[in-house]
Amino acid sequence: MSPAALALLLTLAAPAASAQEPLRPYTVSGDAIATSLTGRPGDAARGRAIVANRSVGLCLLCHSGPIPEERFQGTLAPSLAGAGARWSEGQLRLRIVDGPRLNPDTIMPAYYRTTGLQHVARPFVGKTVLTAEQVEDVVAYLVTLKE
């Protein structure tokens, strides 16, 4: 699937932009954001729900993962199984916040960035896909995936 086709699909499938709060500052060090965007850990159960929800994170559109009750998981991106063994909490956080920073050719959207984006539908301009709390919840879940 081309990046343009994926962007259109994400726009059509995306819920109303949820994040309307100002972006919280963060520092990128190497390939990670070491500290929580919220100053506290996320909730892994809420993170799993976001990953599994096809109208919030849309993770399973491209990724597969250890969520057996969800059928038709993606094959365009690496499996989420073992993500917590492959990457640190900070590395996972950066991949969610701004994956294209690490790989400009990725089809993964920047879930917590509002500038430098292309093909953004008008209602979503200036809004992040996930809130800072949702990012931390997803990170908390992915860190638990060791196998």
Side-chain angles (χ1 to χ4, degrees):
M1 179 177 298
S2 74
L6 182 62
L8 177 60
L9 182 59
L10 289 171
T11 299
L12 295 174
S18 60
Q20 297 181 22
E21 65 185 30
L23 283 179
R24 298 184 189 193
Y26 57 86
T27 301
V28 176
S29 179
D31 66 345
I33 299 172
T35 59
S36 167
L37 299 177
T38 63
R40 60 188 181 281
D43 179 272
R46 285 194 313 254
R48 185 185 191 282
I50 291 166
V51 169
N53 187 315
R54 294 182 189 273
S55 56
V56 177
L58 296 170
C59 304
L60 298 182
L61 180 67
C62 296
H63 296 276
S64 62
I67 305 176
E69 69 275 14
E70 291 297 325
R71 296 176 47 197
F72 309 113
Q73 296 183 22
T75 59
L76 295 173
S79 171
L80 299 177
R86 290 191 303 272
W87 297 294
S88 71
E89 180 179 319
Q91 290 171 318
L92 288 165
R93 186 175 292 110
L94 179 56
R95 280 159 175 74
I96 296 163
V97 165
D98 191 4
R101 180 183 184 112
L102 297 168
N103 177 3
D105 295 325
T106 187
I107 60 172
M108 182 160 164
Y111 281 91
Y112 197 72
R113 186 177 76 178
T114 60
T115 60
L117 305 173
Q118 299 176 7
H119 309 292
V120 178
R122 203 163 280 163
F124 300 96
V125 172
K127 298 175 183 167
T128 61
V129 177
L130 297 177
T131 65
E133 289 80 10
Q134 289 172 318
V135 168
E136 292 306 322
D137 291 342
V138 171
V139 168
Y141 170 62
L142 293 176
V143 164
T144 70
L145 302 180
K146 301 293 186 185
E147 296 180 16

